[in-house]
């Protein structure tokens, strides 16, 4: 679903660019070509929009209800309110520090990714490509590995 949403956005953006370029074209032929291209991108994004809507309706056939409150609300003191429901549908407010909120978010993201991976859904296509880091130099120009001051080796074992 994420990959489909990304494609809809990319095709919509391409259509918008083609429309803008057509408005600034220098010749009638260029305007016609860019307008045709924009119409093709519009048709493609419209078709994929319909597919995305169908996928969302298949996921939530009764629809999703919008809550009247913000489920995660940052406070001016650096804390975060998390509005949740317990297993008896009672509303609860969990107050977290900023660091706790980041840790909870990171854990939920990791658990969600692991759960999706275990059921066979791969997130790779929906994520941006990460460029590989260059290899470390292997010649003698690289100095010895950096160690903290007065560190001769691993820390001593604690009893």
């Amino acid at each position: 679903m994420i990959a489909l949403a990304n494609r809809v956005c990319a095709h919509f953006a391409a259509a918008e660019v083609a429309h803008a370029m057509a408005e600034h074209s220098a010749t009638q032929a260029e305007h016609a070509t860019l307008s045709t291209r924009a119409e093709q991108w519009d048709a493609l994004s419209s078709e994929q929009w319909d597919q995305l809507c169908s996928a969302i309706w298949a996921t939530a056939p009764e629809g999703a209800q919008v809550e009247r409150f913000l489920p995660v609300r940052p406070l001016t003191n650096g804390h975060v309110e998390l509005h949740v429901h317990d297993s008896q549908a009672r509303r609860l407010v969990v107050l977290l520090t900023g660091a706790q909120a980041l840790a909870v978010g990171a854990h939920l993201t990791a658990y969600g990714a692991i759960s999706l991976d275990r059921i066979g859904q791969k997130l790779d296509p929906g994520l941006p490509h990460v460029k590989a880091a260059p290899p470390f130099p292997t010649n003698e120009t690289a100095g010895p590995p950096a160690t903290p001051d007065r560190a001769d080796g691993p820390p001593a074992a604690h009893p």
Side-chain angles (χ1 to χ4, degrees):
M1 196 173 309
I2 292 171
L4 184 55
N6 284 341
R7 282 195 305 270
V8 169
C9 293
H11 293 146
F12 178 79
E16 290 296 304
V17 168
H19 282 295
M21 289 177 65
E23 292 299 318
H24 298 288
S25 59
T27 66
Q28 192 67 8
E30 183 182 20
H31 184 272
T33 302
L34 290 169
S35 294
T36 301
R37 188 174 297 152
E39 289 171 9
Q40 291 169 341
W41 285 118
D42 279 333
L44 189 56
S45 65
S46 179
E47 175 187 319
Q48 290 183 344
W49 173 259
D50 292 340
Q51 291 174 9
L52 179 60
C53 289
S54 296
I56 291 171
W57 280 110
T59 303
E62 284 115 34
Q65 297 194 0
V66 176
E67 295 289 344
R68 288 179 284 158
F69 59 85
L70 190 62
V72 178
R73 187 171 73 131
L75 303 175
T76 57
N77 65 357
H79 288 79
V80 176
E81 281 184 353
L82 178 62
H83 294 254
V84 296
H85 294 91
D86 68 5
S87 58
Q88 283 82 35
R90 293 178 296 203
R91 290 183 177 190
L92 302 171
V93 177
V94 179
L95 184 63
L96 303 168
T97 66
Q100 289 170 331
L102 286 172
V104 168
H107 282 87
L108 288 174
T109 301
Y111 291 143
I114 290 167
S115 298
L116 289 173
D117 184 65
R118 286 185 179 165
I119 63 171
Q121 288 185 333
K122 300 299 179 191
L123 299 178
D124 307 19
L127 299 174
H129 177 71
V130 178
K131 190 170 74 172
F136 291 109
T138 56
N139 57 15
E140 284 72 38
T141 59
T147 58
D149 292 339
R150 296 183 299 266
D152 299 339
H158 294 287

